[in-house]
Amino acid sequence: MLAIGVQMRADDGHPIFDVNTGKRVNISRDIIVGAHVWIGYNASILAGVSIGSGSVIGLGSVVTKDVPNNAVAAGNPARVVRTDIAWERPHLSLTKPYYKPDASTVAKSRWWARTGEESPESVEFAAAPTTSSRWWRRA
């Protein structure tokens, strides 16, 4: 689930070179986003990052390092602020009961797993070619 203003930058857009070797120092790197990931408003995901299935990226975060599955990462630079989380789609003000103090009123999807221990269902699902977003790579 992507909010508006999300940027995924696998490349800087302009090459930067080492003056001693002439080699490019800012080469493109893949961005891998697992299945059932929620990326918040104005978040930026930078080159070489992998975000595990079931995770949440906070509003305005700049993700520069990998985020494990079922974790919340937030800040600039983003850091993991919570693990062992699961999120679902029911909106708090649109789906009864409106107040959801715990998960007893929410239908649990297959994405409920502890961080570092993805459920067999989510691993199988995440491995399918259509469920991960793999951004382009320039050679």
Side-chain angles (χ1 to χ4, degrees), residues 36-136:
H36 194 71
V37 170
W38 178 3
I39 302 177
Y41 175 81
N42 275 353
S44 297
I45 316 299
L46 301 185
V49 167
S50 178
I51 300 173
S53 297
S55 290
V56 176
I57 305 302
L59 169 145
S61 296
V62 178
V63 183
T64 61
K65 295 182 180 177
D66 291 352
V67 176
N69 70 294
N70 295 81
V72 176
N76 181 6
R79 64 181 182 85
V80 173
V81 295
R82 185 135 195 175
T83 58
D84 296 335
I85 62 98
W87 65 274
E88 299 293 344
R89 295 271 322 205
H91 194 280
L92 290 176
S93 62
L94 300 176
T95 307
K96 291 183 179 181
Y98 300 125
Y99 178 66
K100 296 172 180 62
D102 57 42
S104 66
T105 63
V106 177
K108 293 181 181 179
S109 68
R110 68 172 128 202
W111 303 109
W112 286 63
R114 294 180 188 268
T115 300
E117 297 177 0
E118 291 190 71
S119 68
E121 295 86 9
S122 50
V123 171
E124 179 182 322
F125 188 76
T130 59
T131 59
S132 286
S133 300
R134 189 168 192 108
W135 296 89
W136 60 353

Side-chain angles (χ1 to χ4, degrees), residues 6-51:
V6 170
Q7 291 190 50
M8 295 191 190
R9 307 288 308 229
D11 189 279
D12 293 333
H14 300 283
I16 300 172
F17 301 99
D18 181 300
V19 295
N20 297 309
T21 65
K23 292 187 182 228
R24 187 168 172 186
V25 297
N26 65 337
I27 60 170
S28 304
R29 292 179 291 151
D30 291 343
I31 294 171
I32 299 171
V33 177
H36 194 71
V37 170
W38 178 3
I39 302 177
Y41 175 81
N42 275 353
S44 297
I45 316 299
L46 301 185
V49 167
S50 178
I51 300 173

